Amino acid sequence: RDYCLNAFELRYPGFIKKMMSNDEEQFKIALSQLDKNDVNNAYWAGAGWLGAFGVDPLDINILPTIRGGVALLEKAAELDPNYNKGAIWEVLTAFYAAAPYDFGGDKERAIFCFNKAMEVSEGKTISVYLLKAQSFCIPNQDLEGFDEAIKMALSINPDDNPSTRLATTVSRKKAEYLLKHREDLFIIWE
């Protein structure tokens, strides 16, 4: 995150201060400078920001600034909604679905972002199915939806898209793990 934010700071002096301010008006000023050429950097900065929050949601250095990371990703999604076959939408889905309401979580926005990720990826990336299983099915104890999402994830052949073969192979291992441990994730009455 900091590496990417420093790149923005060099291009747009004052960018970091505005994004760390937790003031939506300051975010708007900083983000209004971005264009489509900034999307890749914005994605990695925002994903890193939310990743740090995910690792330690009570980190006193990250928590007060998390809305800046979300705003950065939302701006990136606005500038290039098809970026990397829905990658921005996936990160936003995971955040909005998992974060408590007081920290920016929003179940309706999570569903919207998930639907955008599915639309942009055309259902051809394994990560959207894992996202559904982990962000929606497990928390809602939707075993049927989980099984369907994992089945769809495992139907994605890594060789169908050589440019994503490694990521798909790793994600398949994750899907297999989740399937193997489904009894640990759900209350199953039999």
Side-chain angles (χ1 to χ4, degrees), residues 117-130:
M118 186 62 81
E119 173 189 323
V120 171
S121 72
E122 299 175 341
K124 295 179 181 176
T125 60
I126 192 170
S127 53
V128 294
Y129 298 107
L130 292 176

Side-chain angles (χ1 to χ4, degrees), residues 69-113:
V70 175
L72 188 57
L73 285 167
E74 289 282 3
K75 180 64 175 184
E78 175 188 317
L79 291 170
D80 187 358
N82 297 324
Y83 176 80
N84 198 17
K85 297 186 179 171
I88 297 169
W89 296 114
E90 289 185 38
V91 174
L92 287 169
T93 299
F95 171 77
Y96 285 127
Y101 177 78
D102 290 340
F103 295 168
D106 182 335
K107 301 301 182 198
E108 288 181 26
R109 185 72 181 156
I111 292 167
F112 173 83
C113 292

Side-chain angles (χ1 to χ4, degrees), residues 163-174:
S163 69
T164 62
R165 182 180 293 128
L166 177 60
T168 302
T169 301
V170 170
S171 293
R172 282 182 64 86
K173 294 290 184 195
K174 185 174 187 177

Side-chain angles (χ1 to χ4, degrees), residues 131-166:
L131 181 64
K132 179 179 181 180
Q134 293 182 287
S135 295
F136 298 109
C137 298
I138 294 171
N140 293 321
Q141 290 295 287
D142 176 5
L143 182 58
E144 185 177 319
F146 174 86
D147 287 342
E148 180 62 26
I150 296 298
K151 177 183 173 187
M152 293 301 295
L154 292 172
S155 74
I156 305 289
N157 183 345
D159 295 324
D160 287 349
N161 187 348
S163 69
T164 62
R165 182 180 293 128
L166 177 60

Side-chain angles (χ1 to χ4, degrees), residues 10-11 18 32 38 54 65 72 82 90 135 150 156 183:
L10 290 172
R11 188 166 179 195
K18 289 178 180 77
S32 70
D38 295 312
T65 67
L72 188 57
N82 297 324
E90 289 185 38
S135 295
I150 296 298
I156 305 289
E183 288 80 17

Side-chain angles (χ1 to χ4, degrees), residues 5-21 26-27 29-31 33:
L5 289 179
N6 286 333
F8 279 135
E9 185 68 25
L10 290 172
R11 188 166 179 195
Y12 311 112
F15 187 87
I16 292 175
K17 184 177 180 182
K18 289 178 180 77
M19 293 307 296
M20 295 292 185
S21 72
Q26 292 297 307
F27 297 164
I29 293 168
L31 296 173
Q33 302 170 96

